[in-house]
Each structure stands twice: as C-alpha cells, then as structure tokens.
C-alpha cells in the first residue's frame, strides 16, 4: 500500500530521514567520542538500508524497518521522557503515525478499540491549497501565514472528551520540484492572494504531484482541554443561533464535563429578579433550574438559607455542597437549597453567582449525581469562564428588555409599519446626536407628515348608554328583591320596626329605579348594600340562625370581585367586548389587503363599537408614486369593509348575549392636512389650527341632527356619509351606485342637511340603507334592516 493512495495533492509524499541523518553526519565529526560513536552507529544503519535516506512511500517498509527507524529516531524520542511527553512522528496531511511516545500510545489505548484518530479541525476541502501555501514558503520564499491550530479530540477512561493541540516541527523535511512544477512568478503569487477559493487556479499553477515532500514531521502534542473548554464555552455563548438548537444544552453539559474532568454533570441557570427579589426559571431549549426545581418563580428567601443568600446575593461568591445526602441528614428541612437538591437525586453541586457591577443577574448551577465530584476545589476552575457567562447573561437580559419593549410597542403603543421608517430615521439621528454630544440627551426629532388625505369611519352601538342603564337597573332591582326575600322570611317574633323601615326603603329604591333612575342612584345603592345589608345578613347567619337559605342565595348571586349582582351588566359588557373583538378582527384582516394595494397609515380604536383613522399620501409612502386614484380606491374600500363589518354583525347576532343595534358613519374631508405625532400622548393628531376643524367634526358629528328635526343622522340599518363639498357628494354617489349594483346598498338614497355644530357649519350627508345577507355566500337572499329583524325574531 502506498502512502499517496487516494490523495490528490501537489505533494508526492516520501518518508525520509535524510535531513536527520545530515545532522548525525555533523555529529560524527564531534570531538566527543561518545557522540561520534553513536552518530556513526546510526549512519551505518542508514547505509545498510539506503531507502531510509532516499525516501519511500511503500507503507510496508515501516513494518519491515520498524527497529531501524526507532533507532534513528531515539534522540528525538528520548526514552527518559517517553512516559511524560506526548509526541509522534508522521507526514503532513495524513493520519499516519509511525513512531510515538509511550504516553501517546497510552492515551490511544485508553480511548478504546473503536476510536479512530484524526485531526479534528483539518479542513479537508482546503488541504490542497494549504499544501500549495507550504510550497510557496519552502520553494519561493513567499511567507503566507496560513498557520492554524490543529487538534485531536480523544476520550479518556471516563469517556470525557479531552483536547490535544498539535505543534509541528518541520526541521526534518524538504520539498523538491519535479518536471511537472511550474515556475511561480510574482504575478502568479499576487493573483493567488485574491483567489483562495479558486481551486482550479491553484491546481493550474500547482499540478498534482508536481513537488516531492521528502522527510517527516514531529508532532509535539499538549493537553489543552481546559483552555479549549473555555474557548468552546465562549464560542457557544457568543453565537446566538446555537442557543436555539435542540443540541445546544447537551453540548454545553459536555463542555463543562471536559472543563471539570467529570462525566455526566448538568448545568442549570436561574435568573434573578431584583425588583421582586425572586429567582425565576429561564425558558428556552432544554433550560433547567435545579435551585428552584423548575417552578416558574420562587422568592429568594424560600430557596436559600440565610448564609447562602448572603453568600450569593451580597458577597457574590460561589459555594459548593460536596455531599448532599450528608447535609440533608444533618440539616433535614432547615436549608431549602439542600432539600431541593435532595429531592432531585443530586449528590453534589456548585452554585456560582453571575454578577456584574450593577449586581446579581442570576445563578449558574452545576450538579452531579455522585457525591464529592463537585466541591470547593474544582469550583475554582469556574473563575476563567465566568466573564463569558456574565457577558452572555448581560446580552440575554438586554435582548429580553428589547423584546419586552417591542411587545409593549406592538401591543400597547404600536407604531404602524407604514410610518415606522420615519421613526427609525429620527431615532438614528437621535443616537448620532447623543454620541456626538458625549451623552448629553438631544431632543427627539419631530415626526410630521404633510399633505396627507384623512379617512375616518366608525360603527357605533346605538343606544349603548340606554342599554347599559337598563342592565344596571335590572341588576339593582334583582339585588333589592333578594334582600326583600330575606326580610320576608324573618320570624314574627323577630319583626323589629327597623326591619319594616328597611322594607320601606327597599320599595322606595325599586320605585326610584323604575321611574327616576339617576347617575348617583347606582352608587347610593352600592353603599346601601355594603354598609346596611351585608353586615346585617352576616349577623343573621352568625348569631340568629334564620333565613340561611335566602341569605346564601343572596351571596351566591353577588359577583365576588365587584360585590354586587353583575348579571345583566355582564351580558352587556360581554356583548360590547365581543362586538369590538369581531369587528376589529375583520377590519384588521381586510387592512392587509388594503396595504397591499397602496401603503397608508391605519389605526383603530375600540369604544362602544370600532372607530378607525387612515391617512394616505406621498409623505407616508416615501416614494414618488402617489396618485389620487389610490385615495379614491381607499375610500371605496372603506365603504365596502364597513358594509362587511355591519353585515357580519347582524349575521352573527345570535352569538351575542343581548341584542343590540349598530350604525355606520363615514366622515369625508377632501383637503390634505398635516399630522404630527404627539410624544406626550403617543399618538398622531392633526397639525395646525385649520386642520383642527377636522378633529372637532370627528368628535361631534355622530350626534348631529338632521336640519329642522330631532333625528340623529346616524341610525341603525343605514350608512351615513358626512361631507361638506359638492365634489365629495358626486364622488360618493358613484360609490353608492356601484355598491347598489352589488346588492349591498338599497335604492333609498337621502341627501340631508345637518344642523350646525359648534364652530362647524355647512355639513351634509348621504344616507342609504344597507342590504344584509343572512348567510355567507347566499347571494340570493337579501334583507333590509326591517326584514332582517323580522327574520331574527322568527
């Protein structure tokens, strides 16, 4: 078998001891007779077997000349150091080893029969190019620094992976060009510098087997397990992506096993919440906490004794428990961390505080299921890795804070995607100014969008105040009747005048609710129930022992949170909440389609119904693409979506706890305006005195009356479009006719004048009835509002 089999390389490998023998030739001339005699003895071996000097690639010669090779190499492999040094003789880019120290042999034997030795991080795809760089250095004097540290990974007797760094001694090798070799010019060299990955170019300049490697290399090998473990920990913590992989935690356990030289240990972590003074579980791929036994959150005092609490939180020093069972037998349930470890079958542990200048951030927990494996001595090995742990936890905390802020931004004070670019631009400028001014906080730039067209619409629950009052009256009347039932059950001998007075007061309240219900009636009755009735009923149960079933019935019907009967009001509140939820979901879904047509700003609000604002224009899109056709399209889209929202509401009215009606209204403002983000209110508002008229109309128009009447312009079963300009009327009548053709709107168009509002005159309205479809997809069944109500009642 030839050493070059199955290898494509610019180097043809030959094992030779020629360079080493040259040194022995010099030593043979030594004045020291012992040195000269030894050198001559080795030179005689080389003369007897010339292939050792000339070089060979036949691997069988390594076997037939094994004793002679060992003799020639005896000075480089001193028998006195063989049991301590880790050293081999080999050829480059090959796992072949033909001589090794005793310690290296022992390491390989310990690894087991199934272990195959190979260089861990030898880049197989780059071996050809690495060989070329060596030729450039040896033969042409171009010093290309492509040295990389190479390692062996070899398991020890306990199965723990240990890392061995390889340092090569190339004193005993030479590289000789063959006939195939090209002369490498400076121009070739410069071209190669910019084409590392161009393997075809390298092969063209350095054809396969165009040079002969003659000699051998000595590998001096060092156990760098601890250094490599620290490096692996650092790498694992720096690269965020690895922390999301399923194998991350297992590999992290293995790294710490190598660092501490202990197989089977586990690593956990609990984060410290300074505000709550609690330890909390970290949620992630395979994340565990042995200190709090994987519950969500535990007060620090409940999972640490006083000494360990002070040690970790105040002194910020680690502590260990080398024998958990012994500590548990001695302390029993007095030390919570010992109890937690014992309950999980852990036998020894180390707790290390992860802290920076600002204080404790968390606890790293290393545990073993064997006693004495973890202790205060090997805990000191953590000193070298803790800075990387601290950095990783700091980064994780910052990322979590950023994520929390992002969630708050999204869920509570969201910035619509259509305008986020301007906020980012302002934030970037803010950061630049902050850095320029060395930490002096600058003013955040104004966020203003000029010349944008507004669109506003609302679907409001009609008569919501009356419905709420009605629900309140029913609940209060029910609660008064329950009190009356209790008083009616009192024995005759207990009929005190004060009870008669209470009955009279209850009757008065019932009459007031039915005929003269006022704003303060509800609060007055709540005080009456809390201060007069409930203490009396509690006295009846505890001391008098009567009317128990009626009193129990009373308290069972009282809401535990509010302390009052909350039945009809709950149905009302649930109905409003469900209406808002369903309508919001529908318009949010439709908004995705609208944004795809042309980007625009959108926001909605939940009131007793759903309101929405939209703004469209060049300033928002940041592109020279806006055309009024997109405004007209959005106006038509708005009408169609509001129709769908109201139609969906009546289709699903049977799903609501109580029956309510809604009314749709659109406000048209045909002049562009400016909007400004109000930093104090965290929302957009119109900018300028003239534009403020738009906001005034928005707030008041749904309560406006038709001129000369007491009829509100917004009414159930109809869509009202409020405007002030003749061109708006003509435009929206086109949309109405289009929707009529789609059986969405009826043919009863009204053009109405509205009574003047405070500071606003000249408003008009188009009002038209909606035609509802009873079921989705049933295009043949259309209903007016009155038809639909009859159908629902049936």
């Amino acid at each position: 078998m030839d050493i070059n089999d199955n290898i494509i390389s610019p180097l043809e490998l030959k094992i030779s001891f020629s360079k080493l023998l040259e040194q022995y030739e010099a030593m043979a001339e030594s004045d020291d007779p012992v040195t000269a005699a030894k050198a001559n003895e080795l030179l005689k071996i080389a003369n007897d077997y010339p292939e050792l000097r000339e070089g060979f690639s036949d691997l069988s010669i390594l076997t037939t000349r094994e004793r002679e090779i060992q003799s020639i190499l005896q000075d480089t492999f001193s028998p006195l150091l063989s049991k301590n040094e880790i050293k081999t003789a080999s050829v480059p880019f090959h796992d072949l080893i033909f001589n090794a120290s005793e310690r290296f042999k022992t390491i390989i034997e310990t690894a087991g029969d199934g272990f195959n030795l190979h260089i861990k991080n030898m880049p197989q795809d780059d071996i050809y190019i690495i060989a070329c760089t060596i030729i450039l250095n040896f033969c042409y004097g171009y010093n290309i620094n492509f040295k990389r540290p190479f390692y062996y990974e070899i398991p020890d007797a306990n199965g723990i992976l240990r890392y061995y760094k390889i340092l090569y001694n190339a004193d005993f090798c030479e590289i000789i060009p063959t006939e195939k070799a090209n002369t490498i010019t400076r121009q070739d060299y410069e071209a190669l510098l910019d084409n590392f990955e161009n393997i075809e170019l390298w092969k063209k300049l350095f054809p396969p087997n165009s040079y002969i490697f003659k000699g051998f290399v000595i590998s001096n090998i060092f156990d760098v397990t601890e250094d490599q473990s620290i490096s692996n920990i650092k790498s694992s913590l720096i690269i965020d992506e690895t922390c999301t992989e399923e194998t991350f935690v297992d590999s992290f356990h293995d790294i710490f096993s190598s660092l501490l030289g202990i197989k089977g240990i586990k690593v956990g972590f609990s984060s410290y919440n300074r505000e709550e003074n609690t330890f909390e579980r970290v949620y992630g791929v395979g994340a565990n906490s042995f200190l709090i036994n994987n519950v969500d959150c535990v007060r620090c005092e409940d999972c640490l004794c006083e000494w360990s609490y002070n040690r970790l939180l105040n002194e910020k020093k680690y502590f260990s428990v080398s024998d958990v069972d012994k500590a548990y037998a001695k302390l029993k349930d007095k030390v919570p961390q010992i109890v937690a470890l014992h309950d999980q079958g852990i036998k020894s542990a180390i707790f290390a505080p992860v802290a920076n200048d600002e204080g404790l951030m968390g606890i790293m927990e290393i545990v073993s299921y064997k006693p004495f494996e973890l202790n205060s001595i090997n805990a000191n090995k953590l000193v070298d890795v803790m800075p990387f742990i601290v950095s990783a936890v700091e980064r994780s905390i910052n990322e979590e804070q950023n994520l929390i802020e992002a969630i708050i931004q999204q869920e509570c004070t969201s910035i619509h995607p259509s305008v986020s670019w301007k906020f980012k631009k302002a934030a970037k400028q803010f950061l630049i100014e902050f850095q320029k001014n060395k930490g002096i906080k600058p003013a955040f730039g104004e966020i203003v969008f000029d010349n944008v067209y507004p669109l506003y619409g609302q679907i409001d629950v009609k008569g919501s105040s009356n419905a709420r009052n009605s629900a309140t009256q029913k609940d209060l009347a029910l609660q008064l009747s329950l009190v009356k039932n209790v008083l009616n059950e009192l024995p005759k001998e207990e009929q005190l005048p004060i009870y008669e007075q209470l009955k009279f007061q209850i009757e008065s309240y019932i009459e007031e609710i039915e005929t003269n219900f006022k704003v303060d009636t509800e609060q007055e009755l709540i005080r009456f129930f809390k201060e007069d009735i409930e203490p009396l009923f509690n006295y009846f149960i505890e001391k008098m022992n009567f009317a128990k079933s009626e009193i129990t019935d009373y308290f069972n019907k009282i809401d535990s949170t509010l302390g009052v009967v909350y039945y009809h009001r709950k149905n009302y509140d649930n109905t409003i909440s469900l209406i808002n939820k369903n309508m919001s979901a529908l318009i949010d879904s439709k908004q995705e389609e609208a944004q795809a047509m042309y980007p625009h700003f959108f926001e909605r609000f939940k009131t007793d119904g759903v309101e929405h604002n939209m703004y469209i224009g060049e300033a928002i899109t940041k592109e020279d693409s806006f055309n009024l056709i997109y405004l007209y399209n959005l106006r038509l889209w708005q009408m169609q979506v509001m129709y769908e929202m109201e139609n969906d509401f009546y289709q699903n009215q049977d799903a609501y706890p109580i029956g309510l009606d809604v009314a749709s209204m659109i406000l048209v403002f045909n002049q562009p305006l400016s909007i400004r983000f109000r930093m104090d209110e965290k929302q957009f508002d119109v900018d300028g005195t003239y534009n403020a008229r738009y906001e005034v109309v928005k707030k008041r128009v749904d309560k406006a009356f038709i001129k000369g009447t007491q009829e509100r312009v917004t009414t159930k079963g109809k869509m009202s479009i409020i405007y002030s300009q003749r061109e708006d009327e003509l435009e929206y009548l086109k949309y109405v006719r289009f929707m009529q053709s789609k059986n969405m709107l009826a043919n009863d168009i009204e053009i109405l004048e509205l009574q003047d509002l405070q500071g606003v005159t000249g408003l008009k309205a188009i009002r038209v009835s909606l035609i509802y479809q009873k079921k989705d997809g049933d295009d043949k069944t259309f209903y007016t509002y009155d038809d639909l109500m009859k159908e629902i009642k049936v």
Side-chain angles (χ1 to χ4, degrees), residues 663-706:
S664 302
M665 187 271 290
I666 290 172
L667 175 62
V668 183
F669 196 80
N670 69 344
Q671 295 298 317
L673 45 73
S674 297
I675 56 173
R676 180 186 300 272
F677 188 78
R678 308 292 180 186
M679 295 296 178
D680 52 346
E681 299 177 5
K682 305 300 181 189
Q683 67 180 34
F684 278 100
D685 200 355
V686 296
D687 196 34
T689 305
Y690 172 76
N691 294 333
R693 178 175 178 268
Y694 173 70
E695 288 295 328
V696 172
V697 176
K698 274 171 52 177
K699 289 180 173 62
R700 299 176 183 173
V701 71
D702 65 320
K703 302 295 191 296
F705 293 110
I706 298 172

Coordinates of all heavy atoms in Angstrom, one line a residue, residues 663-706:
A663 N -74.7 51.4 14.0 CA -74.9 52.3 12.9 C -73.5 52.7 12.4 O -72.6 52.9 13.1 CB -75.7 53.5 13.4
S664 N -73.5 52.8 11.0 CA -72.2 53.1 10.4 C -72.2 54.6 9.9 O -73.2 55.1 9.5 CB -72.0 52.2 9.1 OG -72.1 50.9 9.5
M665 N -71.0 55.2 10.1 CA -70.8 56.6 9.7 C -69.4 56.8 9.1 O -68.4 56.3 9.6 CB -71.0 57.5 10.9 CG -71.0 59.0 10.5 SD -69.4 59.7 10.5 CE -69.1 59.7 12.3
I666 N -69.3 57.5 8.0 CA -68.0 57.9 7.3 C -68.0 59.4 7.3 O -68.9 60.0 6.9 CB -67.9 57.2 5.9 CG1 -67.8 55.7 6.0 CG2 -66.8 57.9 5.1 CD1 -67.9 55.0 4.7
L667 N -66.8 59.9 7.6 CA -66.6 61.3 7.5 C -65.6 61.6 6.4 O -64.5 61.1 6.3 CB -66.0 61.9 8.8 CG -65.6 63.4 8.8 CD1 -66.8 64.3 8.6 CD2 -64.9 63.8 10.1
V668 N -66.0 62.5 5.5 CA -65.2 62.8 4.3 C -64.6 64.2 4.5 O -65.3 65.2 4.8 CB -66.1 62.9 3.0 CG1 -65.2 63.1 1.8 CG2 -66.8 61.5 2.9
F669 N -63.3 64.3 4.3 CA -62.5 65.6 4.4 C -61.7 65.6 3.2 O -60.7 64.9 3.0 CB -61.7 65.6 5.7 CG -61.2 67.0 6.1 CD1 -62.1 67.8 6.7 CD2 -59.9 67.4 5.8 CE1 -61.6 69.1 7.1 CE2 -59.5 68.6 6.1 CZ -60.3 69.5 6.8
N670 N -62.0 66.5 2.2 CA -61.4 66.4 0.9 C -60.1 67.2 0.7 O -59.5 67.2 -0.3 CB -62.4 66.9 -0.2 CG -62.7 68.4 -0.1 OD1 -62.4 69.0 0.9 ND2 -63.3 68.9 -1.2
Q671 N -59.7 67.9 1.8 CA -58.4 68.7 1.7 C -57.3 67.9 2.4 O -57.5 67.4 3.5 CB -58.6 70.1 2.3 CG -59.6 70.9 1.5 CD -59.1 71.2 0.1 OE1 -57.9 71.5 -0.1 NE2 -60.0 71.2 -0.8
P672 N -56.1 67.9 1.8 CA -55.0 67.3 2.5 C -54.7 68.1 3.8 O -54.8 69.3 3.8 CB -53.9 67.3 1.5 CG -54.2 68.4 0.6 CD -55.7 68.4 0.5
L673 N -54.1 67.4 4.8 CA -53.7 68.1 6.0 C -52.4 67.5 6.5 O -51.8 66.6 5.9 CB -54.8 68.0 7.1 CG -55.5 66.6 7.3 CD1 -54.6 65.7 8.0 CD2 -56.8 66.8 8.1
S674 N -51.9 68.0 7.6 CA -50.7 67.5 8.2 C -51.0 66.8 9.5 O -51.9 67.3 10.3 CB -49.7 68.7 8.5 OG -49.3 69.3 7.3
I675 N -50.3 65.7 9.8 CA -50.5 65.1 11.1 C -49.1 65.0 11.8 O -48.1 64.9 11.2 CB -51.0 63.6 10.9 CG1 -50.1 62.8 10.0 CG2 -52.4 63.7 10.4 CD1 -50.5 61.3 9.9
R676 N -49.2 65.2 13.1 CA -48.0 65.2 13.9 C -48.1 64.2 15.0 O -49.2 64.0 15.6 CB -47.8 66.6 14.5 CG -46.5 66.8 15.4 CD -46.5 68.1 16.1 NE -46.5 69.2 15.1 CZ -45.4 69.7 14.6 NH1 -44.2 69.3 15.0 NH2 -45.5 70.7 13.7
F677 N -47.0 63.5 15.3 CA -47.0 62.5 16.4 C -46.8 63.2 17.7 O -45.8 63.9 17.9 CB -45.9 61.5 16.2 CG -46.0 60.3 17.2 CD1 -46.9 59.3 17.0 CD2 -45.1 60.3 18.3 CE1 -47.0 58.3 17.9 CE2 -45.2 59.2 19.2 CZ -46.2 58.2 19.0
R678 N -47.8 63.2 18.6 CA -47.7 63.8 19.9 C -47.0 62.9 20.9 O -47.4 61.8 21.3 CB -49.1 64.1 20.5 CG -50.0 64.8 19.5 CD -49.6 66.3 19.3 NE -50.5 67.0 18.3 CZ -50.2 68.2 17.9 NH1 -49.1 68.8 18.2 NH2 -51.1 68.7 17.0
M679 N -45.7 63.3 21.2 CA -44.9 62.5 22.1 C -45.5 62.2 23.5 O -45.4 61.1 24.0 CB -43.5 63.1 22.3 CG -42.7 63.2 21.0 SD -42.3 61.6 20.3 CE -41.4 62.1 18.8
D680 N -46.2 63.2 24.0 CA -46.8 63.0 25.3 C -48.0 62.1 25.3 O -48.2 61.3 26.3 CB -47.2 64.4 25.9 CG -48.1 65.2 24.9 OD1 -48.2 64.8 23.7 OD2 -48.8 66.1 25.4
E681 N -48.7 62.1 24.2 CA -49.9 61.2 24.1 C -49.6 59.9 23.3 O -50.5 59.0 23.3 CB -51.1 61.9 23.5 CG -51.5 63.1 24.3 CD -52.6 63.9 23.5 OE1 -53.1 63.4 22.5 OE2 -53.0 65.0 24.0
K682 N -48.4 59.8 22.7 CA -48.0 58.6 22.0 C -49.0 58.3 20.9 O -49.4 57.1 20.7 CB -47.8 57.4 22.9 CG -46.9 57.6 24.1 CD -45.5 58.0 23.6 CE -44.5 58.2 24.7 NZ -43.2 58.7 24.3
Q683 N -49.5 59.3 20.2 CA -50.4 59.1 19.1 C -50.4 60.2 18.1 O -49.9 61.3 18.4 CB -51.8 58.9 19.6 CG -52.5 60.1 20.2 CD -53.9 59.8 20.6 OE1 -54.2 58.8 21.1 NE2 -54.7 60.8 20.5
F684 N -50.8 60.0 16.9 CA -50.9 61.0 15.8 C -52.1 61.9 16.1 O -53.2 61.4 16.5 CB -50.9 60.4 14.4 CG -49.6 60.0 13.9 CD1 -49.2 58.7 14.0 CD2 -48.8 61.0 13.4 CE1 -47.9 58.3 13.5 CE2 -47.5 60.6 12.9 CZ -47.1 59.3 12.9
D685 N -52.0 63.2 15.7 CA -53.1 64.1 15.8 C -52.9 65.1 14.6 O -51.7 65.3 14.1 CB -53.0 64.9 17.1 CG -54.4 65.5 17.4 OD1 -55.3 65.4 16.6 OD2 -54.6 66.0 18.5
V686 N -53.9 65.7 14.2 CA -53.8 66.7 13.1 C -53.0 67.9 13.6 O -53.0 68.3 14.8 CB -55.2 67.2 12.6 CG1 -55.9 66.0 12.0 CG2 -56.0 67.8 13.7
D687 N -52.3 68.6 12.7 CA -51.5 69.7 13.0 C -52.0 71.0 12.4 O -52.4 71.0 11.2 CB -50.1 69.4 12.4 CG -49.0 70.2 13.0 OD1 -49.1 70.6 14.2 OD2 -48.0 70.6 12.3
G688 N -52.0 72.0 13.2 CA -52.5 73.3 12.7 C -53.9 73.6 13.1 O -54.7 72.8 13.3
T689 N -54.2 75.0 13.2 CA -55.5 75.4 13.6 C -56.6 75.1 12.6 O -57.7 74.6 13.0 CB -55.5 77.0 13.8 OG1 -54.4 77.3 14.7 CG2 -56.8 77.5 14.3
Y690 N -56.3 75.3 11.3 CA -57.3 75.0 10.3 C -57.6 73.5 10.3 O -58.8 73.1 10.2 CB -56.8 75.4 8.9 CG -57.7 74.9 7.8 CD1 -58.9 75.6 7.5 CD2 -57.3 73.8 7.0 CE1 -59.7 75.1 6.5 CE2 -58.2 73.4 6.0 CZ -59.4 74.0 5.7 OH -60.2 73.6 4.7
N691 N -56.6 72.7 10.4 CA -56.8 71.2 10.4 C -57.6 70.7 11.6 O -58.2 69.6 11.6 CB -55.5 70.5 10.2 CG -54.8 70.7 8.9 OD1 -55.5 71.0 7.9 ND2 -53.5 70.7 8.9
A692 N -57.5 71.5 12.7 CA -58.2 71.1 13.9 C -59.7 70.9 13.7 O -60.3 70.2 14.5 CB -57.8 72.0 15.1
R693 N -60.2 71.7 12.7 CA -61.6 71.6 12.4 C -62.0 70.1 12.1 O -63.1 69.7 12.5 CB -61.9 72.5 11.2 CG -63.4 72.5 10.7 CD -63.5 73.5 9.6 NE -64.9 73.5 9.1 CZ -65.3 72.8 8.1 NH1 -64.4 72.0 7.4 NH2 -66.6 72.9 7.6
Y694 N -61.1 69.4 11.5 CA -61.4 68.0 11.2 C -61.6 67.2 12.4 O -62.5 66.4 12.5 CB -60.2 67.5 10.4 CG -60.3 66.0 10.1 CD1 -61.2 65.4 9.2 CD2 -59.4 65.1 10.7 CE1 -61.3 64.1 9.0 CE2 -59.4 63.7 10.5 CZ -60.4 63.2 9.6 OH -60.4 61.9 9.3
E695 N -60.8 67.4 13.5 CA -60.9 66.7 14.7 C -62.2 67.1 15.5 O -62.9 66.2 16.1 CB -59.7 67.0 15.6 CG -58.4 66.3 15.2 CD -58.5 64.8 15.2 OE1 -59.2 64.3 16.1 OE2 -57.9 64.1 14.4
V696 N -62.6 68.3 15.4 CA -63.8 68.8 16.0 C -65.0 68.0 15.4 O -65.9 67.5 16.1 CB -64.0 70.3 15.9 CG1 -65.4 70.8 16.3 CG2 -62.9 71.0 16.6
V697 N -65.0 68.0 14.1 CA -66.1 67.3 13.4 C -66.2 65.8 13.8 O -67.2 65.3 14.0 CB -66.0 67.5 11.8 CG1 -67.1 66.7 11.1 CG2 -66.1 69.0 11.5
K698 N -65.0 65.2 13.8 CA -64.9 63.8 14.2 C -65.6 63.5 15.5 O -66.3 62.5 15.7 CB -63.5 63.3 14.2 CG -62.9 62.9 12.9 CD -61.4 62.6 12.9 CE -61.0 61.7 14.1 NZ -59.5 61.5 14.0
K699 N -65.3 64.4 16.5 CA -65.8 64.1 17.8 C -67.3 64.4 18.0 O -68.0 63.8 18.9 CB -65.1 65.0 18.8 CG -63.6 64.6 19.0 CD -62.9 65.5 20.0 CE -61.5 65.0 20.4 NZ -60.6 64.9 19.2
R700 N -67.9 65.2 17.1 CA -69.3 65.7 17.3 C -70.3 65.2 16.3 O -71.5 65.2 16.5 CB -69.3 67.2 17.4 CG -68.5 67.8 18.5 CD -68.5 69.3 18.4 NE -67.6 69.9 19.5 CZ -67.3 71.2 19.5 NH1 -67.8 72.0 18.7 NH2 -66.5 71.6 20.5
V701 N -69.8 64.8 15.1 CA -70.7 64.6 14.0 C -71.7 63.5 14.2 O -72.8 63.5 13.7 CB -69.9 64.5 12.7 CG1 -69.3 63.1 12.6 CG2 -70.9 64.7 11.5
D702 N -71.3 62.4 14.9 CA -72.2 61.3 15.1 C -73.4 61.6 15.9 O -74.4 60.9 15.9 CB -71.5 60.1 15.6 CG -71.0 60.3 17.1 OD1 -70.5 61.4 17.4 OD2 -71.1 59.4 17.9
K703 N -73.4 62.8 16.7 CA -74.5 63.2 17.5 C -75.3 64.3 16.8 O -76.3 64.9 17.3 CB -74.0 63.8 18.8 CG -73.2 62.8 19.6 CD -74.0 61.6 20.1 CE -73.3 60.8 21.1 NZ -72.0 60.1 20.6
A704 N -74.9 64.6 15.5 CA -75.6 65.7 14.8 C -77.0 65.3 14.4 O -77.3 64.2 14.1 CB -74.8 66.1 13.6
F705 N -77.9 66.3 14.4 CA -79.3 66.1 14.0 C -79.4 66.6 12.5 O -78.7 67.5 12.0 CB -80.2 66.9 14.9 CG -80.3 66.5 16.3 CD1 -79.7 67.2 17.3 CD2 -80.9 65.2 16.6 CE1 -79.7 66.8 18.6 CE2 -80.9 64.8 17.9 CZ -80.3 65.6 18.9
I706 N -80.4 66.0 11.9 CA -80.8 66.4 10.6 C -81.5 67.8 10.7 O -82.3 68.0 11.7 CB -81.8 65.4 9.9 CG1 -81.1 64.1 9.8 CG2 -82.3 65.9 8.6 CD1 -82.0 62.9 9.3

